[in-house]
Amino acid sequence: QTLTTTAGQTDQFTTVLPTSGLSGTTTPSYYRPQAISQVSSDYATYSAPNNTNGTYRYYNALDGKFYKINTDGTITALNDEIFYNVSNVTWANTKDTAVIEYPDNTKIIYNFEKNTKVTVPSYWQDFSFSPTGDEVAAKSIGLSSENRYLITTKDDGTGTKIIEPMGDYADQVLVNWSPSKQVVAFSKTGQAQGADRKEILLVGLNEENFKSLIVEGANFEAQWSTTGQKLLYSVNSARSDYKPELWIVDAYGNSIGQNRNLLGVYTWAEKCAFGDDKTLFCAVPRTLDTGAGMNKLVANNTYDDLYKIDTNTGLKTPISLGNDNYTVNNISYDTKNKKLIFTDTNKIGVYQVNL
């Protein structure tokens, strides 16, 4: 073709027009991937990532099987066994091992990597795996208070150890094994601090005398950072109209209780996922009524906005969820693929957020 410029110059050039679509195979600079995509249409429940290999596990309540979403997006069954009417699942973070519970109170530790299972006592409850996935902590709840203990056991059901007696205060103990292996549970049995302050005790494996945490409110729930150096927790108080407030605090060694900061977000700790010790991703309900912190079920029909939060500065950056609305549940950060994965309280499927 011939091009004549306004200056009267003539240039020759050749064009090859594509038959359709974008020219060439390279992604143009103005292209942006879809903000959010559905990666599984299964009725996915009890989901969690495997932080070792980057897969995402879940239970399909319709066919009774466990599945994993692989890093390439394909979905495969963890095995061919059918697990009927599962009522709760607690996953190990670094292995495909889980405590599976049933409505009749039967409880098993199932190793999907070895296809082995062991039945544990029905009076064990509130399970949490060790960072390596080869041990489980739990409450052993006997009929009488003198037979109620915080215990650990190996993932094959052997080597059970008593960590601490709980007595009449079993309902005040939150089993939550830290990534640093230092802390195995929290106890809300600290000394009285006033109406809106609580002392939270940190329980170790060997009767350590850790520093305690002072929290500004009730209904404490917590989540460890990826290393266990930091602790995210939510509490509510009269000051927050009894809505759940997020706090971040140091939670390791001699620094326990230091650098405590209010993040200025009304949501629960379980609706967040750590990217690393200084990066947090949280689903924040758009509206919360006064008193919501005392009953989180009130938020089940409230849509969430998604934020990235710098835990050092408190800076909050909104993350697009596209044009649809979501009530986020079981949010996780995929460390291998740098993506967020979650299920929705009111929708079927598993969703992935491209960051």
Side-chain angles (χ1 to χ4, degrees), residues 127-139:
F127 299 91
S128 178
F129 276 91
S130 68
T132 55
D134 54 5
E135 291 183 275
V136 185
K139 299 178 189 178

Side-chain angles (χ1 to χ4, degrees), residues 81-130:
E81 186 165 345
I82 297 176
F83 301 79
Y84 294 101
N85 301 319
V86 169
S87 61
N88 195 43
V89 179
T90 303
W91 290 99
N93 289 326
T94 53
K95 291 183 177 181
D96 286 334
T97 304
V99 178
I100 303 172
E101 303 178 51
Y102 295 91
D104 65 356
N105 228 19
T106 298
K107 299 169 185 179
I108 62 173
I109 302 175
Y110 199 104
N111 187 323
F112 288 94
E113 297 172 2
K114 299 178 180 178
N115 284 328
T116 59
K117 63 181 176 182
V118 58
T119 300
V120 297
S122 61
Y123 50 85
W124 287 5
Q125 64 185 44
D126 297 350
F127 299 91
S128 178
F129 276 91
S130 68

